[in-house]
Amino acid sequence: MQKKQHSNIPKIAVVGSTNMDMVVNAERIPVPGETILAHNFFMNPGGKGANQAVTVARLGGATLFISKVGNDVFGRQSSQLFHEEGIDTRFMLSDDILPSGVALITVDQKGENSIVVSQGANNALLPEDFTGEVLLELEKCKMVLMQFEIPMETILHVARYAVSRSIKVVINPAPVQAIPPQLLEYTHIITPNETEAGLLTGIKVKNLDTAKQAAKAIQEMGASIVIITLGAQGALVCEDGKMTLVPTETVQAVDTTAAGDVFNGALVVGLSNGMELPEATRFACRAAAISVTREGAQSSIPYYNEVIAHFIGKE
C-alpha cells in the first residue's frame, strides 16, 4: 500500500544496507560443527538500513533511503517493497557486478537469533555515490540514521557532510567494529546494545552499573548522547553526564531479529516529531517490544497506531 508523505513532516534520511533475509526456525542455535534440523523456513526483506527505513515510514516519518542493491531479483523486489511503504527510493542505487546482500538467520525457540551477513552490493555504497541530487535531497533532512553494514568511509563521509549542514547524526554501531574518533565527534546520538557497548569499551555489560560505566566511557570518546539498549530492561540514556533508565513493557519474545532496528527507527521519528529524549526513547522501547512478538524482520515492524493503541492505559 503506497502511503502519502506530507510536506510538513520532518524528513529523515536512512543510509545503510539492504539484504534479503533467509530465516530458519530451530529448537536451538547449533554449536560449531553441529548440524540440526529446522522446522520452518521463510524469506523476508531485511538489512539494518532497510529495516530502519521501513520503521521510520510505518511510524509516520517522511523517509529518504540511500542504499545499494544488486541488479538481481532480490534488489528489484526490495526496491518495489520500499516504494509501497511510501519510502523515497530515488537514491536506491544498483550495482551491475555485485549481488544484493543476503543474511542467513537462525532463530531458536526462545526468540534469540544468530545472523551471518554477506554484504554484496552494500559494500559498494561509497562516498563517490553522494554527489549532486543525493546531497541536495540530504540537505532537506532533519536527521540521518546510519549503521555499520556499509563501508566505514561512507559513514564518515555522510556524517561529516550532515554536520556541516546542521543535520543531526544518529549512529547504530551494529555490527560492531572499531569506530574512528572523528565519527564520534560528528555523532549526536550513538545507540549500542549491551554486547556492542562492551566491545566498544572493554567493559563487560552485565547489569545496570556496568552499563552506566560503558555509557560514560563511550561519551568520553566523543559522542554527545549515548543510549545503550538493554533488551527486556529497556534503555539507558546518558546525556550531559546524567543517566536515566527508560523501562520497557514485558512481552513474550518470539523473534528478536529486528528489535534494535525498530528501536532506532522509532527513536529518530520521535525526536523529529519534537519529543524530548526520554519520551522518544520510551516510544522506541515500545515499538521494539511489539516487534519481538512477531517473526521476521520487516514483517515484525509495527505501525504508529499499533504502538499507540498497544500501550493505552499502561502509562
Side-chain angles (χ1 to χ4, degrees), residues 19 30 43 124 242:
N19 295 326
M43 292 196 302
K242 180 182 177 183

Side-chain angles (χ1 to χ4, degrees), residues 37-243:
L37 298 178
H39 54 76
N40 187 37
F41 167 78
F42 63 94
M43 292 196 302
N44 186 47
K48 298 192 71 62
N51 296 342
Q52 292 174 9
V54 171
T55 299
V56 172
R58 289 189 184 177
L59 295 179
T63 317
L64 170 67
F65 185 36
I66 304 172
S67 187
K68 186 171 279 190
V69 295
N71 184 15
D72 53 29
V73 63
F74 289 162
R76 290 188 288 275
Q77 182 181 17
S78 296
S79 296
Q80 177 60 32
L81 290 170
F82 299 145
H83 179 72
E84 292 172 359
E85 291 283 353
I87 295 169
D88 184 344
T89 58
R90 288 175 295 155
F91 304 110
M92 277 198 68
L93 310 175
S94 179
D95 192 285
D96 290 330
I97 299 174
L98 294 170
S100 295
V102 295
L104 308 177
I105 304 173
T106 302
V107 181
D108 71 14
Q109 61 184 358
K110 297 179 181 177
E112 295 298 326
N113 62 64
S114 175
I115 305 174
V116 178
V117 176
S118 176
Q119 291 177 288
N122 294 304
N123 239 3
L125 183 64
L126 300 172
E128 49 262 40
D129 291 317
F130 292 81
T131 59
E133 279 189 76
V134 179
L135 295 181
L136 288 175
E137 201 61 37
L138 191 60
E139 289 178 7
K140 299 176 184 178
C141 297
K142 185 173 183 179
M143 306 186 82
V144 58
L145 172 61
M146 293 185 283
Q147 337 71 35
F148 288 174
E149 286 182 343
I150 57 174
M152 184 60 73
E153 61 179 314
T154 304
I155 297 166
L156 190 57
H157 176 78
V158 173
R160 183 186 298 114
Y161 185 84
V163 169
S164 75
R165 297 298 189 271
S166 300
I167 302 165
K168 290 184 175 178
V169 176
V170 179
I171 296 293
N172 174 217
V176 69
Q177 58 180 282
I179 301 178
Q182 316 93 285
L183 180 59
L184 287 172
E185 293 174 10
Y186 301 136
T187 299
H188 179 58
I189 302 175
I190 188 168
T191 61
N193 63 19
E194 296 158 287
T195 301
E196 292 152 2
L199 291 171
L200 289 172
T201 63
I203 299 169
K204 188 172 182 179
V205 178
K206 52 187 178 181
N207 53 39
L208 186 56
D209 286 339
T210 49
K212 288 179 178 179
Q213 293 172 28
K216 183 179 179 182
I218 296 170
Q219 193 164 56
E220 289 173 350
M221 293 177 188
S224 298
I225 298 169
V226 181
I227 302 177
I228 299 180
T229 55
L230 301 171
Q233 293 183 70
L236 177 67
V237 179
C238 178
E239 181 181 20
D240 297 327
K242 180 182 177 183
M243 304 280 184

Side-chain angles (χ1 to χ4, degrees), residues 4-12 60-63 140 269 272-273:
K4 294 181 179 179
Q5 294 181 337
H6 304 288
S7 59
N8 61 333
I9 298 175
K11 198 161 193 175
I12 297 167
T63 317
K140 299 176 184 178
V269 169
S272 293
N273 288 339

